[in-house]
Amino acid sequence: MSILVSRPSKMPVDRNPTISINYNVTSFENEVLCMSIHELEEANRCLQCKKPLCREGCPIHTNIPEMIRLFKENDLLTAAQMLFDNNPLSVVCSLVCNHAAQCEGHCVRGIKGAPVHISAIENYISDSCFDRLKIQQAPSNGKKVAIIGAGPAGITIAIILAKRGYQITVFESRDKIGGIMRYGIPDFRLPRYILDRFEERMKAMGIKFRFNFTIGGNITLKDLFADGYQSVFIGTGAWRPKRMRIPGETFGNVHYAISYLNNPDAVDLGQSVAIFGSGNSAMDVARTAVRHGCKSVTVYVRRDHVSASQDEYEYSLLDGVKYEFNKTAVAIKDEGPMVADTKVEDGHVTVLEDTARLVPVDSVVIAVSQVPKRRLVEHNQGLELNDRGNLKILEYGETSLPGVFASGDVVTGAKTVVHAVEYSKKIADEMDLYMKNLDKKG
């Protein structure tokens, strides 16, 4: 089997990843060589199980054994095409998925040792081949589709329907695509250039963008249909932070996670910060704060464990983040939060308010999830919210307005990228069917 990067003939391949490799090549070439060796070693560990549990553990059932087989045969482009066709955001998911709970967490190698590093192999394939993918598109059918929101759900549906011949216009309230992937995931976890590459590929597919444009003010859903759009997809995400509903949340030393992650350079957290929450957003805030100069970063968790992925939790520990479990805030003062103990019984958390004590810090960040904003609903008569404050949909993703579909965080609340893709693939099929049925009725 040949190595996947070029190097002088008869160059020895070091199979020990802990040893530095230097064959009188540039540092970049050295890094690429080390990376390729790591991925090859991991691919060689795959058992090619007849019943691949790794695939069952993946929310979108990526054909992992086939991906690894093609990789070992040096057929990267075929592997990348298969990955993209199954998951247009493969290169993103290979970086930000909770692999320990999904594909890698189900790998049989992990029963008695370390699982195959599936995410590294997928990322190597998807990233190196992304710009060379041949995206097959059906001839234009002349039907227009409006996509509101350029987050993971909107990008997925835009690509799928554009491949089927629909004319797509994406309406995005910001000046770049990505949604929560760009404005809620730190650059050290998901480099922005990856999302910029998506924008270029989508434009090459004929997908049009209206940036800095909000639907739900001067322009409504009714206006879109009047202009000839046959269906509309809403994927506006969950951007309104949940409150802890404790005294002091309006103070100047308090920030919400989604607002901080949107532009951490604009926020001075000082030398010490207390973070309340246990999901990936709390981990992202903590690790970003460390990188922005905070000397003391502590995350307070209501239960005895975090809900974030184990990998992100362990990375945060490496970054020097401290944790206090069974603790929460009952109030916030100018000097810092009042932190009390909690007790968990039968899954329910009880706050022991008489244990509250002041924890002096420069800043407090609240990271207890997000919910959708209400602007779109308030300005479009007929749209409804469910009892959780999310957009209400019927069984197959259609909202209370005919021809208007939704998925992603605006429907489910804050979830992961891969789950947005999983559900959006189904919604794309339903939108396609809806528009074909319009022709039959017409």
Side-chain angles (χ1 to χ4, degrees), residues 59-60 93 97 102 407-408 412 415-424:
I60 46 179
C93 291
C97 267
Q102 296 169 357
S407 76
T412 62
K415 295 288 185 181
T416 62
V417 173
V418 70
H419 287 104
V421 175
E422 174 195 20
Y423 197 60
S424 296

Side-chain angles (χ1 to χ4, degrees), residues 85-156:
D85 290 341
N86 178 63
N87 175 9
L89 293 179
S90 172
V91 66
V92 173
C93 291
S94 67
L95 292 172
V96 304
C97 267
N98 185 357
H99 304 107
Q102 296 169 357
C103 56
E104 293 173 14
H106 287 72
C107 175
V108 296
R109 281 283 194 185
I111 297 174
K112 294 184 178 180
V116 175
H117 200 176
I118 298 166
S119 56
I121 301 170
E122 181 179 4
N123 181 255
Y124 189 97
I125 295 170
S126 296
D127 186 62
S128 62
C129 296
F130 182 80
D131 300 310
R132 294 182 286 150
L133 290 172
K134 294 181 179 180
I135 303 176
Q136 301 293 332
Q137 292 182 252
S140 175
N141 56 27
K143 299 176 182 178
K144 295 180 182 293
V145 178
I147 307 290
I148 305 174
I155 290 173
T156 299

Side-chain angles (χ1 to χ4, degrees), residues 140-145 165-168 228-230 432 435-439:
S140 175
N141 56 27
K143 299 176 182 178
K144 295 180 182 293
V145 178
Y166 291 95
Q167 297 178 19
I168 310 296
Y229 292 93
Q230 289 205 348
D432 189 17
M435 288 181 282
K436 288 177 178 175
N437 286 336
L438 285 180
D439 290 342

Side-chain angles (χ1 to χ4, degrees), residues 91-324:
V91 66
V92 173
C93 291
S94 67
L95 292 172
V96 304
C97 267
N98 185 357
H99 304 107
Q102 296 169 357
C103 56
E104 293 173 14
H106 287 72
C107 175
V108 296
R109 281 283 194 185
I111 297 174
K112 294 184 178 180
V116 175
H117 200 176
I118 298 166
S119 56
I121 301 170
E122 181 179 4
N123 181 255
Y124 189 97
I125 295 170
S126 296
D127 186 62
S128 62
C129 296
F130 182 80
D131 300 310
R132 294 182 286 150
L133 290 172
K134 294 181 179 180
I135 303 176
Q136 301 293 332
Q137 292 182 252
S140 175
N141 56 27
K143 299 176 182 178
K144 295 180 182 293
V145 178
I147 307 290
I148 305 174
I155 290 173
T156 299
I157 289 183
I159 290 174
I160 292 174
L161 292 183
K163 288 172 65 176
R164 298 181 186 181
Y166 291 95
Q167 297 178 19
I168 310 296
T169 300
V170 180
F171 298 87
E172 171 54 47
S173 62
R174 300 172 187 264
D175 60 355
K176 294 282 187 181
I177 76 164
I180 198 68
M181 297 183 295
R182 181 182 293 272
Y183 300 104
I185 300 178
D187 186 70
F188 60 81
R189 284 187 60 206
L190 179 59
R192 301 292 178 260
Y193 77 85
I194 291 176
L195 300 173
D196 294 337
R197 290 162 71 194
F198 266 95
E199 184 177 327
E200 292 304 312
R201 291 307 308 262
M202 292 172 73
K203 287 178 178 177
M205 295 176 68
I207 297 171
K208 295 180 173 61
F209 292 90
R210 294 287 299 272
F211 290 114
N212 299 306
F213 196 98
T214 302
I215 304 292
N218 292 332
I219 301 295
T220 66
L221 297 176
K222 185 177 180 181
D223 295 318
L224 293 176
F225 285 112
D227 276 346
Y229 292 93
Q230 289 205 348
S231 69
V232 177
F233 171 76
I234 299 174
T236 48
W239 293 97
R240 185 161 60 93
K242 276 189 176 181
R243 294 178 52 195
M244 291 184 73
R245 300 195 176 279
I246 58 176
E249 280 193 66
T250 64
F251 290 172
N253 59 339
V254 181
H255 308 274
Y256 290 107
I258 191 66
S259 303
Y260 174 69
L261 292 171
N262 182 16
N263 188 5
D265 291 328
V267 181
D268 182 6
L269 294 178
Q271 296 295 300
S272 58
V273 59
I275 301 166
F276 293 90
S278 68
N280 282 339
S281 289
M283 308 298 109
D284 288 341
V285 169
R287 299 182 67 200
T288 301
V290 170
R291 285 160 174 74
H292 281 72
C294 279
K295 304 299 182 185
S296 175
V297 179
T298 305
V299 178
Y300 293 87
V301 183
R302 286 164 54 91
R303 300 176 183 271
D304 61 359
H305 63 278
V306 299
S307 58
S309 71
Q310 189 66 23
D311 286 346
E312 290 307 311
Y313 171 61
E314 291 177 358
Y315 281 134
S316 71
L317 292 175
L318 288 173
D319 285 341
V321 177
K322 297 180 177 63
Y323 286 82
E324 293 281 348

